[in-house]
Amino acid sequence: MAMVSFMFSDEATSFDPNLTTTYDPSALKPKTIEGDPNTIDGKDVVFPLSEEQYGQIECEQIGLNAPVYWYDSDEILANGVGQSLISSLPGFNGPIILSGHNTTYFRCLQDAAKGNVIKFHTNYCDYEYTVTKVQVYNETELESLLIDKTRKEKEELIMYTCYPFHAISGRKTDRLVVFAKRTAGKDVKWREQD
């Protein structure tokens, strides 16, 4: 019964992990590069260590609100959303690949729809992404797609979870994937030294 309650709970289970964080919503954001108000100097960005929370992701339309960790270990996925190490941080002009369990933090992805606005908060900038597509892929097909996406210089938020949501037994080989384009936030660049 405990397992069934866990799987169908409306709230994400909170564990007491030894995970660390650099994310501080009250931290001052870095200044923009002089003469270019849409960029942040890369030297001012604190890069996360493995298994460290560096952001928070939310979407009011579907009830998403989760910590984002750099890496996607079992411990991380029990406590939030994990980011693939082959992907980029927000603002770095590459794909941002996030995964989460469909019984906890990413359960709400079943309600995602084109046009939803996703907010991604980091210490260095707040970003917004607008959902462009929601689609189901076989896990092998998705793996190839994600590798192909990492070869392109295009910022895109990609969130995925196991599918279907209500299957209790058996190994799930499909993934529900939400794609979103950046609609607000600053680019991170390294300023050339004089």
Side-chain angles (χ1 to χ4, degrees), residues 61 113-117 130-132:
Q61 291 109 328
K114 188 175 179 179
N116 289 158
V117 175
T130 301
V131 174
T132 57

Side-chain angles (χ1 to χ4, degrees), residues 25-138:
S26 63
L28 292 175
K29 305 288 187 230
K31 295 178 183 174
T32 58
I33 294 177
E34 189 175 329
D36 193 351
N38 295 317
T39 61
I40 298 167
D41 194 333
K43 72 174 178 56
D44 294 331
V45 174
V46 176
F47 291 89
L49 300 173
S50 182
E51 298 193 336
E52 190 169 62
Q53 180 191 0
Y54 79 93
Q56 188 80 15
I57 193 165
E58 60 184 52
C59 177
E60 289 181 18
Q61 291 109 328
I62 62 172
L64 172 63
N65 190 352
V68 179
Y69 292 89
W70 183 246
Y71 191 47
D72 53 4
S73 67
D74 290 339
E75 185 177 18
I76 285 172
L77 296 183
N79 293 282
V81 172
Q83 180 165 349
S84 170
L85 296 180
I86 66 168
S87 64
S88 298
L89 294 173
F92 284 82
N93 200 30
I96 303 150
I97 303 170
L98 305 179
S99 61
H101 287 312
N102 72 352
T103 55
T104 56
Y105 292 94
F106 270 2
R107 180 178 176 190
C108 59
L109 291 189
Q110 65 188 322
D111 299 321
K114 188 175 179 179
N116 289 158
V117 175
I118 299 160
K119 296 180 180 181
F120 199 143
H121 307 287
T122 70
N123 282 349
Y124 56 93
C125 190
D126 292 325
Y127 293 88
E128 284 189 6
Y129 298 85
T130 301
V131 174
T132 57
K133 180 169 75 169
V134 179
Q135 188 168 335
V136 175
Y137 292 87
N138 176 274

Side-chain angles (χ1 to χ4, degrees), residues 62 97-103 105-114 116 131 133-143 145-146 157-166 172-180:
I62 62 172
I97 303 170
L98 305 179
S99 61
H101 287 312
N102 72 352
T103 55
Y105 292 94
F106 270 2
R107 180 178 176 190
C108 59
L109 291 189
Q110 65 188 322
D111 299 321
K114 188 175 179 179
N116 289 158
V131 174
K133 180 169 75 169
V134 179
Q135 188 168 335
V136 175
Y137 292 87
N138 176 274
E139 64 183 344
T140 305
E141 184 182 20
L142 177 60
E143 184 178 334
L145 174 73
L146 294 178
L157 178 62
I158 303 166
M159 303 182 294
Y160 71 92
T161 192
C162 291
Y163 184 86
F165 285 85
H166 304 291
K172 297 177 185 177
T173 59
D174 289 336
R175 304 290 180 260
L176 178 80
V177 187
V178 176
F179 299 89

